[in-house]
Amino acid sequence: MSHLYDQFSDNIFYANTLSGADPDDVKALYVAYHNECVDLSTYTGLNYLSYAFSVIDCAGLARQQELRHFSCSNSSLSKKQGLISLLQQNRSLAELTISRLSLSAEDAARISGFAELRYLTLSDTSMTAVPGGWSLLSQLQELTLEAQPLTQLPDELGSLAALTALSLKQCRFSKVPDVIGQLSALKTLDLSDNPIRELPESMARLTALEEIDLSGCQLASLPEWLTDLPALKKVNVRNNPFTDLPPALKKLKSKLKIDLKDKALYDSSAREKLMQKSGLVSDFADFGFKLMVIQKLMYEDKTLRPAFDVCEFVKKPENAHMDPESEQAYQVMPEVRDYFQKLGIPQHLLADITELCADGGDDIYSQLAPRWSGSEDYFDMHSAQDIRHLPKLNVIESPFLTTSFCDEADAFDVEVIAL
């Protein structure tokens, strides 16, 4: 949506409503889905002009001098004709939106001539940089680059001292360009729908940042410094594959827009709410199978919290008689076994498991029998009936699979690999 739309919405003319109109009254024009070229030569006082899926009148556009908004999406333009050069006479242009249109490097550089430009949108264009450096755009108040095939940003972008809003949505960035950390006046930042895996320390310098959108990225965690940004009002991190999140995120409270399953990684109340909402599964037909599931969720994916630690467990008064270093630790400790047998696992976590791979050295086994030698069959699996709890399970690989388990597993169409 145009930032200036509300100023012109009540007086916008359309290509089919121009007939009989006084040219002096036509200040805003929207040409959309029009096969014939609309002659602009008599409408030289336009303040607002928008093209969408239409043929551009190059000669008429070149005569405009009072445009404050110009947008163009999926519209026909001669490859020999530079769109920005046609707009050069509009020195008061405040908003420029270009979508799905190729800009030459030379023509793109002319954007710097619009000294009063406040909003720039370059959506799905073939331009990846402004020749001569993005520093030429020093007068911009807002820059938006949406759905472009950008893989990096030039260092010159750091000189945009007046830049307060930056959108790099769907630009295929696998990491955040370090130059963003130099934009000290930045108030809003949109990095959504990029395959970004982590946030660089340089972003901690964005002390004026009020809103940041990181939804739809590939973030596994978030840095604690994010909670210390003084002006922050809104953080959207929904739809990310988080595996671990710092407890410090609690400080953001309602400012943080996050999925409940991810909030449960650092907030115990959210974890309880999630368990109540999704339901818990505690009864498993085979204890060895349940341990393999717990190993994946608690110690590998780190989505089943809190992680059990036998050393902390024995510090509780009721467990004071236990000693992980004693002779009893060669066998499965009954109190620990009881804990894991009663442990409820949220159904939504079970529903996401596609593979289970066990090893004698896994954390779960050292919690149950800290001094286990590996020779006893404490953790053998005999029944495959619990596979019903894991609808997406494809593969099971373990040294603890018995013949009976493998025979039963055939009925569930799951690949079983006995090590």
Side-chain angles (χ1 to χ4, degrees), residues 46-257:
L46 290 173
N47 298 142
Y48 185 104
L49 176 60
S50 180
Y51 277 101
F53 296 89
S54 302
V55 179
I56 296 175
D57 174 17
C58 295
L61 183 58
R63 295 186 62 185
Q64 303 301 318
Q65 298 184 22
E66 300 178 25
L67 286 176
R68 295 189 59 232
H69 165 95
F70 177 80
S71 60
C72 178
S73 176
N74 275 308
S75 294
S76 302
L77 182 72
S78 170
K79 293 183 179 179
K80 296 181 180 180
Q81 181 65 64
L83 177 61
I84 307 303
S85 62
L86 295 174
L87 296 166
Q88 286 188 109
Q89 300 303 313
N90 298 275
R91 296 300 177 182
S92 297
L93 193 68
E95 182 173 25
L96 176 62
T97 299
I98 300 172
S99 175
R100 301 179 185 180
L101 188 70
S102 179
L103 291 179
S104 69
E106 181 181 3
D107 195 40
R110 294 191 176 99
I111 295 175
S112 61
F114 304 123
E116 296 184 26
L117 193 63
R118 298 184 60 206
Y119 311 106
L120 173 63
T121 300
L122 301 175
S123 173
D124 200 12
T125 70
S126 60
M127 187 197 72
T128 56
V130 177
W134 285 76
S135 57
L136 294 176
L137 305 181
S138 58
Q139 301 300 316
L140 285 178
Q141 291 296 313
E142 179 162 341
L143 171 64
T144 305
L145 300 171
E146 296 181 355
Q148 291 190 80
L150 295 176
T151 57
Q152 60 181 350
L153 288 180
D155 292 338
E156 290 87 346
L157 183 61
S159 65
L160 293 175
L163 201 66
T164 59
L166 174 64
S167 175
L168 297 170
K169 184 177 182 178
Q170 296 180 344
C171 288
R172 304 177 190 176
F173 286 113
S174 58
K175 64 177 184 178
V176 179
D178 288 336
V179 69
I180 289 180
Q182 301 176 33
L183 304 174
S184 58
L186 209 59
K187 291 185 177 180
T188 63
L189 175 62
D190 188 349
L191 294 171
S192 62
D193 298 318
N194 282 289
I196 296 169
R197 297 184 179 278
E198 61 181 355
L199 302 182
E201 185 70 27
S202 59
M203 289 180 61
R205 298 194 294 267
L206 301 179
T207 55
L209 196 64
E210 296 180 356
E211 297 185 12
I212 182 169
D213 192 340
L214 298 165
S215 60
C217 294
Q218 292 296 312
L219 296 167
S221 188
L222 291 172
E224 289 194 19
W225 56 254
L226 187 65
T227 66
D228 296 326
L229 295 179
L232 207 57
K233 296 179 181 178
K234 182 179 179 181
V235 183
N236 187 352
V237 294
R238 287 174 173 156
N239 195 24
N240 274 278
F242 293 119
T243 59
D244 188 36
L245 290 171
L249 291 180
K250 290 182 180 179
K251 293 192 294 185
L252 291 178
K253 299 181 179 179
S254 61
K255 298 176 183 177
L256 185 64
K257 307 302 178 183

Side-chain angles (χ1 to χ4, degrees), residues 15 18 29 31 34 36-41 43 51 55-57 60:
L18 284 174
L29 176 62
V31 184
H34 207 72
E36 298 179 2
C37 183
V38 176
D39 186 1
L40 301 180
S41 60
Y43 309 104
Y51 277 101
V55 179
I56 296 175
D57 174 17

Side-chain angles (χ1 to χ4, degrees), residues 251-320:
K251 293 192 294 185
L252 291 178
K253 299 181 179 179
S254 61
K255 298 176 183 177
L256 185 64
K257 307 302 178 183
I258 188 170
D259 296 328
L260 180 61
K261 67 180 180 64
D262 297 319
K263 188 176 182 180
L265 292 175
Y266 65 89
D267 190 319
S268 59
S269 61
R271 185 159 56 248
E272 293 175 2
K273 181 178 180 181
L274 183 62
M275 288 182 176
Q276 294 173 357
K277 182 177 180 181
S278 66
L280 296 176
V281 178
S282 57
D283 293 330
F284 280 71
D286 193 290
F287 185 58
F289 186 89
K290 183 178 184 180
L291 293 178
M292 186 167 53
V293 171
I294 294 173
Q295 166 65 27
K296 176 172 177 56
L297 297 177
M298 184 175 288
Y299 299 105
E300 295 174 18
D301 295 349
K302 299 180 180 179
T303 53
L304 182 59
R305 294 303 189 98
F308 180 89
D309 185 339
V310 68
C311 293
E312 294 298 320
F313 186 72
V314 299
K315 291 180 181 179
K316 296 180 179 180
E318 63 270 26
N319 299 324

